[in-house]
Structures are given as structure tokens and as C-alpha cells.
Amino acid sequence: MYALVDCNNFYCSCERVFNPKLEGRPVIVLSNNDGCAISRSDEARALGIGMAAPAFIMSEFLDQHQVAVFSSNYTLYGDMSQRIMDSLALFAPKIEIYSIDEAFLDLSELRKTDLRQFGFNIRRTIRKNIGIPVSVGIGATKTLAKMANRHAKKHYRPASVFWAADPALVREMLSSTPVEEIWGIGHQYALLLSRSGFKTAAEFLKAPEEWIRKNLSVVGHRLLFELRGIPSIAWETEKPVRQNICTSRSFGQRIADKTRIAEAMANYAASCAGKLRSDKTCCRSVQVFIQTNPHKTDEAQYLRSVDIDLDRASNHSGEIIKAALRGLDLIFKPGFLYMKCGVTAMDLVPESSVQGSFFDGADHKKSRHIMRTIDQINQSAGKEVLRAAAQGFERPYRLKTDYLSFRYTTRMSEILRIKN
Amino acid sequence: MELLYYETAVPAGFPSPALDYMEERIDLSRELISHPLSTFIVECTGDSMMGAFIPPRARLLVDRSLTPVNGSIVVAVLNGEFTVKFLRKNEHRCWLVPANSKYQEVKISEDMDMQVWGVVTYIITDTQDLRNCMR
């Protein structure tokens, strides 16, 4: 048996833990740059606010219904997520963290007979200890656990726990789940299935195996097994090794000035280099791109990218920044209003296997030591206290985060203040 | 806490007799926080708990996993507002009790919305601030 634990409206719930006045009120959290809603409380859903609804279009509506609006505070959500995942790991010997707010637990080695009670226990503990409401779905495979979770959210409130324990309960769940809601089915296959008369997961199970193999290939076949209760999707406890590392963001406002873009580019390059160092990898090539706003159809459009190969694989901030800025020199064209730029570290190799080039006389041991020292200082003194001059200080291109809450759990200067 | 390792030079004279007895230095956060996953740090700004040695600017360690008992200092949410008070309770009802005669205790009735957010386990104060509690 597997469990899928999913935090309800996770980002909104995090905001509520430190702001109890929001209880019972509609709350939404906006995407990077305050673009659109990416998390909605139940009350906000009830108002009809859609996922990915652009905030500027609905600002009047939000005022009128007194919706509490937040910029995304990933520092806070990341720490709350870690607390939850570490707590969940105490419930089962094997856990697979699926996303910031979801985790699978492998319950096969647990000697528990009443898994529904086990689900209640998880829910009660996370709610009390960390303050976040979760839903728990339990089933014979990961696909069924995921479906059970959806079923719990839809039909078993407020308990929000569903265990597909026997054939009758599995049937109940399968027949009330539309095919497009099956985990991993994909848009195309869902469309094909419902057009062919298989509208629910239960009907999908009744489809002839030959037909499924022919029309839905190996993916569909695997899903069929999963729905029958035979585990066919691998358990992934190891973090997949990243193939490349990308940092790209939209600017707060459009920028024409090259020096400002260079500053943003340097910051994204430094962020890539930092991620490389924490993964203990180096990149052999750096790709950069700049882009105008494709939605402004009346303005001149420009999009270009270029790859810069490094002489020697590196994760040194200075070297990555230098490569990124060389790339910008190659592709920048004046006369456009740029909306976005990005840096991707590509062709990654483990730090330990980096080979020097014959002609390169730099003292790499020393520069590695310098980067490590800088990382340590930044870790204890605050993010990016030390940085390359090219990264600048004012960051006028910075994301719009007009409604940002405090980083209550990671910054001493931003902890919850209580007037008692 | 992060441990730093140094490449220590071997003394040329006598080896340190303490070498075999070296231990990790005391880590306060490990000593004071028994449940790190459910412990949060908050700061007080009011004076209603002066008598309990919680002056304004005191930092409190708050453990959400603990169940409050009669006499616990708690962070409570009363009608949507955070507050820090003593919790007094018996089988029938409970009160939020300040530690300052300037303030009244609050008897929690049916129609009030009160929840305990967490239990205060430690108080961290600057001794300069603490002097205000002694007046």
C-alpha cells in the first residue's frame, strides 16, 4: 500500500499559519512577478478565481471581495515544506518527495491494519505541529494513492482521508474519477479515451487490453496495471541528477538599457554557479538568452540565445558570470524593450572529474577555496552579502513582490511579532 | 549547527593531553529545541507578561507539538489576534491570564474563538530588558 500526502492550498495555508486573521477569508498567492494566482484558498475558489488568473485583470474584483493577496514567499514555503517532509519521514520507512507540497509514503513494510486511522494520524500531526492541513489518499499503487487523495479532497471533507481498502471502495473511487484526472495520463490520451467512450477510470479499466496497447502505447498499459493495483511505477527516493541548471526571470518592468540587463544576467549566472556548487557539479557550457515581451504584439520583437563554451568546466561564479556577459555582448541588440533574460549552465560534469586544460595556468585550488569561503560567509551572514561587482546592488530589474509576507522561520529580523 | 574542520598542525613539542578528550562544543539550539520541526521563534512587543519575565523584545521558543496544561505559557489566537498568556484551565473552562496587574484575565466562553497556537518552552531576554520586569 502507498499513501499520497498532499498539503491543501499549500502556499495560502503557509500564510495563514502566521496570520490567523486570514482564516475563513479568501486568500490567493501570486506567481513570480505578481503575475497570476498560483494558490487559492477554498474561499477564493468559491468566488470563482481561476488558477493562473492574471492579477491585474481582477484587481477590482479582488478589492471588492476583500481577497487577501500575497506575492510568493518561497523562502517561507520552502522551510515549511521541509518541516512537513521531515515529519512525514517519521511515519514510514520510505518516502518519495514528489513536489514542494506532496509526498508518497511506501506503507508496505508497516504492520498497520487500519490505514485509515493511520491517515487521520498523519493529518492530525501535521496540522497540529506545523499548522498545515493535508489530505491523505491510500491505495495499492502510486496511481491509486494519488487518485484516493483527489477523492478524499472531493468527497471526504472535512476528514480528507480516503483509503481504497476493498474492491467496493476502489470501485467507488474509479467510477467517480474522470479519465483526464488519472495521474500521468496526459492530455492527448485522456481526449482519445473519452472520445472512445471511456469517460471514467472505471471505464478505462474495462477497455480491451489489445485496444489500450495499440492506442495508448506502453504508458497506457502501465497505467492499466497501476489501476488494477499492480505497482508498475518506480519508486524514486534519489533526487534525479540535474542535466542542466537554468535561472531565468521576467523583469519587474521592461528594460532597454544594456548595463541593467547585464546586471540581471550576472545575478542569474551567479545563482546558477551557486546551484552547481551545492550539487558539486561543474558546467562546460553556458547558454544565455534575451527576449522581448511576446504579448506586446505592437512592439518590435527580438529573441536570441547563444552558447558559450568554457575552456574548462567550472562552477566559479566569476567564470560563469564572465561567460554569460560575453554571451550578452554577442546577442544584445539596442532598440528593443526587453522583458526577460536567462542563464543555463549546460553539459554538467561532477566537480571531482574536472580536467584542466594544458594551457591554462590559473590556480584552481585557490579559486575553489575562495568560492567555498564566500559561500560559507553568505550562508551565515545572509544571502549574497558577498557578491561579484557585476551583480550590482540596487537590482532595479527585480521581481515585483508588492505583497510579500515575512520570512518568519529563516530570518531573525522577520520573526512573528506578538503584541501581548 | 555546522562544524568547521581545520587542518590542525601537529605541535612540534608535546602532543596536547586533551586531544583524546575533545568533544563537540555545546550547541544551545540543540539543547533548547527538542522538537525542531514544530518549534518556531517569535518576539513579544507588549508588557502584559512582565511578571513572568517576558519584557517587550523577549524572544520565545514556541513548540506546537506540545499539549498545554494548566499553568502553561501559551501563544494563543484569540478572535484572530495572537497573544501570549498563561493558560489556566479546569475540566469545564479555561482562561487566558496576564502577568501584569494592568491587564484583565480573559475567561474563554463558548462564543469566543480561541485556539492555542503553541506552548512557550523557553524565554530569551536581554538582561537590560529584564530590568524593566523588576520595577
Side-chain angles (χ1 to χ4, degrees):
Chain A
M1 281 285 169
Y2 297 88
L4 178 75
V5 182
D6 183 16
C7 303
N8 300 351
N9 318 327
F10 180 53
Y11 301 165
C12 293
S13 298
C14 288
E15 299 294 348
R16 278 181 170 162
V17 172
F18 300 96
N19 196 342
K21 271 215 179 99
L22 300 173
E23 215 61 59
R25 260 185 73 185
V27 182
I28 61 172
V29 174
L30 301 178
S31 61
N32 270 339
N33 230 3
D34 292 346
C36 50
I38 48 167
S39 178
R40 301 160 296 156
S41 71
D42 292 346
E43 297 80 1
R45 286 165 204 252
L47 284 175
I49 297 172
M51 208 60 157
F56 70 94
I57 289 178
M58 27 178 214
S59 66
E60 205 171 302
F61 178 84
L62 296 177
D63 281 350
Q64 191 191 331
H65 289 91
Q66 303 212 334
V67 178
V69 178
F70 290 91
S71 304
S72 31
N73 183 347
Y74 285 115
T75 309
L76 176 65
Y77 311 152
D79 178 64
M80 295 298 272
S81 168
Q82 208 166 359
R83 287 171 186 255
I84 291 167
M85 298 306 168
D86 290 351
S87 306
L88 290 177
L90 302 174
F91 280 94
K94 280 198 234 160
I95 172 170
E96 177 188 327
I97 297 170
Y98 183 66
S99 70
I100 192 170
D101 58 355
E102 280 173 285
F104 286 105
L105 306 181
D106 183 346
L107 311 181
S108 49
E109 286 164 39
L110 283 185
R111 281 162 204 232
K112 292 239 187 328
T113 44
D114 189 350
L115 291 179
R116 210 164 69 98
Q117 211 51 52
F118 176 74
F120 287 141
N121 194 11
I122 289 179
R123 185 175 150 81
R124 200 180 324 112
T125 306
I126 303 296
R127 177 81 217 216
K128 179 171 197 298
N129 293 6
I130 298 154
I132 302 291
V134 301
S135 308
V136 185
I138 300 169
T141 63
K142 282 164 81 175
T143 307
L144 289 173
K146 183 101 181 159
M147 194 180 288
N149 191 292
R150 179 185 174 275
H151 199 62
K153 277 209 187 82
K154 274 219 149 10
H155 305 288
Y156 285 81
R157 296 244 182 167
S160 302
V161 174
F162 183 77
W163 177 25
D166 57 48
L169 287 168
V170 173
R171 240 189 338 266
E172 168 198 317
M173 172 174 93
L174 289 170
S175 52
S176 71
T177 306
V179 280
E180 65 267 23
E181 296 289 343
I182 299 173
W183 181 48
I185 188 116
H187 182 64
Q188 291 299 327
Y189 287 163
L191 212 63
L192 176 68
L193 278 166
S194 63
R195 276 197 193 136
S196 312
F198 308 110
K199 301 234 181 281
T200 67
E203 287 164 353
F204 175 42
L205 259 184
K206 288 198 198 109
E209 213 171 316
E210 252 333 284
W211 186 89
I212 289 175
R213 210 195 312 257
K214 200 167 136 240
N215 291 290
L216 275 65
S217 77
V218 67
V219 179
H221 205 237
R222 197 172 54 199
L223 273 180
L224 191 66
F225 273 79
E226 281 270 317
L227 292 181
R228 282 181 186 157
I230 305 158
S232 315
I233 294 177
W235 190 254
E236 287 167 15
T237 40
E238 293 286 310
K239 240 204 298 188
V241 180
R242 290 195 255 205
Q243 294 300 309
N244 52 46
I245 288 174
C246 174
T247 305
S248 78
R249 254 162 239 150
S250 295
F251 306 133
Q253 62 222 27
R254 283 168 301 147
I255 306 177
D257 180 17
K258 185 178 168 192
T259 53
R260 286 188 167 192
I261 295 176
E263 209 176 290
M265 201 71 107
N267 273 293
Y268 302 162
S271 148
C272 285
K275 287 179 198 161
L276 287 170
R277 289 196 296 278
S278 75
D279 280 9
K280 294 205 183 333
T281 53
C282 290
C283 71
R284 281 196 287 228
S285 153
V286 176
Q287 183 181 69
V288 299
F289 77 89
I290 46 175
Q291 184 183 0
T292 50
N293 185 350
H295 300 297
K296 299 256 179 198
T297 44
D298 52 331
E299 286 177 8
Q301 295 291 320
Y302 183 77
L303 162 67
R304 249 195 98 181
S305 74
V306 66
D307 293 1
I308 304 290
D309 290 333
L310 303 176
D311 296 334
R312 178 179 171 283
S314 171
N315 57 16
H316 185 287
S317 290
E319 290 168 12
I320 308 290
I321 289 173
K322 206 166 117 194
L325 295 183
R326 189 144 52 96
L328 179 65
D329 278 341
L330 291 173
I331 58 177
F332 181 83
K333 235 175 155 175
F336 294 95
L337 284 170
Y338 291 98
M339 185 62 198
K340 193 175 185 180
C341 76
V343 177
T344 308
M346 301 196 304
D347 203 356
L348 307 190
V349 292
E351 199 174 51
S352 53
S353 73
V354 171
Q355 312 236 322
S357 97
F358 186 74
F359 297 104
D360 137 49
D363 188 346
H364 296 299
K365 201 174 166 200
K366 191 170 163 193
S367 77
R368 243 205 323 273
H369 187 72
I370 291 172
M371 284 322 296
R372 207 182 313 142
T373 309
I374 289 177
D375 285 342
Q376 272 169 9
I377 291 172
N378 283 343
Q379 209 166 48
S380 58
K383 213 176 168 195
E384 305 211 307
V385 167
L386 288 182
R387 58 183 126 173
Q391 289 175 255
F393 285 92
E394 281 175 35
R395 304 198 174 187
Y397 57 86
R398 209 180 41 196
L399 292 175
K400 264 198 282 182
T401 49
D402 292 345
Y403 319 103
L404 199 58
S405 57
F406 287 139
R407 292 165 290 189
Y408 299 102
T409 61
T410 54
R411 292 284 172 118
M412 209 55 201
S413 55
E414 298 184 20
I415 57 176
L416 182 67
R417 308 186 78 191
I418 299 178
K419 187 166 182 333
N420 58 302
Chain B
M1 196 189 77
E2 188 115 342
L3 277 179
L4 298 172
Y5 291 95
Y6 297 95
E7 286 182 31
T8 47
V10 180
F14 291 101
S16 165
L19 210 59
D20 289 345
Y21 300 90
M22 287 299 277
E23 292 183 352
E24 230 172 87
R25 206 165 286 157
I26 292 166
D27 175 2
L28 262 190
S29 67
R30 199 155 59 196
E31 295 302 319
L32 301 186
I33 303 180
S34 17
H35 306 122
L37 299 179
S38 56
T39 298
F40 297 85
I41 305 176
V42 306
E43 183 179 323
C44 276
T45 64
D47 60 357
S48 76
M49 290 297 277
M50 295 287 271
F53 303 103
I54 305 179
R57 304 204 316 146
R59 273 82 177 257
L60 310 177
L61 300 188
V62 185
D63 190 343
R64 290 184 56 109
S65 70
L66 301 178
T67 303
V69 295
N70 182 33
S72 295
I73 298 179
V74 297
V75 170
V77 177
L78 182 60
N79 299 323
E81 299 281 355
F82 279 116
T83 185
V84 177
K85 294 288 179 289
F86 277 112
L87 181 75
R88 194 199 310 151
K89 63 186 238 177
N90 58 31
E91 296 99 89
H92 311 292
R93 51 176 56 89
C94 64
W95 296 259
L96 290 176
V97 183
N100 184 338
S101 53
K102 271 176 24 192
Y103 298 87
Q104 300 284 315
E105 63 181 42
V106 179
K107 184 170 149 191
I108 304 303
S109 57
E110 292 279 316
D111 59 320
M112 283 169 138
D113 179 19
M114 197 283 280
Q115 275 177 333
V116 172
W117 191 87
V119 174
V120 176
T121 52
Y122 286 95
I123 304 162
I124 303 165
T125 50
D126 190 315
T127 45
Q128 298 291 323
D129 294 332
L130 205 55
R131 280 194 294 196
N132 298 326
C133 298
M134 310 303 278
R135 284 192 191 129

